[in-house]
């Protein structure tokens, strides 16, 4: 009985160690729209992935010029389209920041260098009105 308890204890400790190693640095970077705009000025060739549906890009929030559009719902099926950007940073945006966070997590787990835009296009357009 003591050997069984010891074995379970050792397995428990090992599982904590493995879990801790697997989640270490398992987050992507997030930026504000102000930071995004600054980076866009400094790097006009930056890669921006808009994960909204195509019809949303024609709606009242519009789109940022030059974005790549892959809706989050089909991102995993179309991820090969982003393979050429694997060694570059991809900035992900959506309407409010929710879908881009989901997409960022998917891409991060696939080994992409990801930056998520907090607040999405709503915050982007709001920041334009404040100036």
């Amino acid at each position: 009985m003591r050997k069984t308890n010891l074995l379970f204890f050792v397995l428990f400790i090992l599982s904590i160690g493995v879990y801790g190693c697997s989640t270490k640095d398992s987050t992507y970077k997030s930026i504000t729209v102000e930071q995004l705009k600054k980076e866009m000025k400094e790097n006009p060739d930056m890669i921006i992935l808009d994960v909204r549906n195509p019809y949303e890009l024609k709606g009242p929030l519009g789109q940022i010029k030059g974005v790549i559009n892959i809706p989050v719902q089909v991102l995993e099926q179309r991820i090969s389209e982003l393979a050429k950007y694997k060694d570059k940073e991809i900035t992900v945006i959506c309407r409010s920041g929710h879908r881009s966070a989901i997409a960022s997590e998917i891409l991060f787990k696939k080994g992409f260098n990801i930056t998520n835009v907090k607040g999405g296009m709503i915050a982007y357009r709001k920041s334009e009105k404040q100036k």
Side-chain angles (χ1 to χ4, degrees):
M1 184 70 176
R2 280 179 67 159
K3 287 184 179 182
T4 304
N5 287 343
L6 180 60
L7 178 63
F8 282 121
F9 177 75
V10 169
L11 289 174
F12 175 74
I13 297 299
L14 287 173
S15 67
I16 290 173
V18 169
Y19 178 76
C21 291
S22 68
T23 60
K24 188 175 183 181
D25 297 329
S26 67
T27 59
Y28 49 85
K29 182 172 89 173
S30 290
I31 60 172
T32 64
V33 293
E34 289 79 17
Q35 291 169 308
L36 170 65
K37 288 179 177 186
K38 181 180 179 210
E39 286 191 34
M40 288 171 62
K41 285 180 184 176
E42 293 172 0
N43 179 10
D45 296 326
M46 75 183 293
I47 300 153
I48 302 174
L49 174 65
D50 193 320
V51 294
R52 295 178 292 160
N53 290 305
Y55 69 87
E56 292 178 272
L57 277 61
K58 297 174 184 167
L61 293 175
Q63 68 180 343
I64 297 170
K65 185 179 177 182
V67 299
I68 299 167
N69 177 232
I70 303 176
V72 70
Q73 299 90 328
V74 295
L75 181 59
E76 291 195 77
Q77 292 86 9
R78 294 178 55 190
I79 204 159
S80 63
E81 296 174 38
L82 300 172
K84 60 186 169 188
Y85 306 115
K86 191 99 179 204
D87 62 334
K88 299 181 180 190
E89 183 175 6
I90 299 175
T91 301
V92 186
I93 195 165
C94 68
R95 180 180 171 276
S96 66
H98 179 72
R99 286 178 282 179
S100 62
I102 293 168
S104 294
E105 190 65 31
I106 291 168
L107 292 168
F108 182 83
K109 286 181 179 178
K110 299 285 185 181
F112 287 87
N113 182 14
I114 298 301
T115 298
N116 180 48
V117 180
K118 295 185 275 188
M121 287 300 294
I122 292 173
Y124 187 88
R125 295 300 180 213
K126 186 177 179 181
S127 72
E128 293 176 333
K129 293 176 184 177
Q130 294 175 347
K131 292 185 178 188

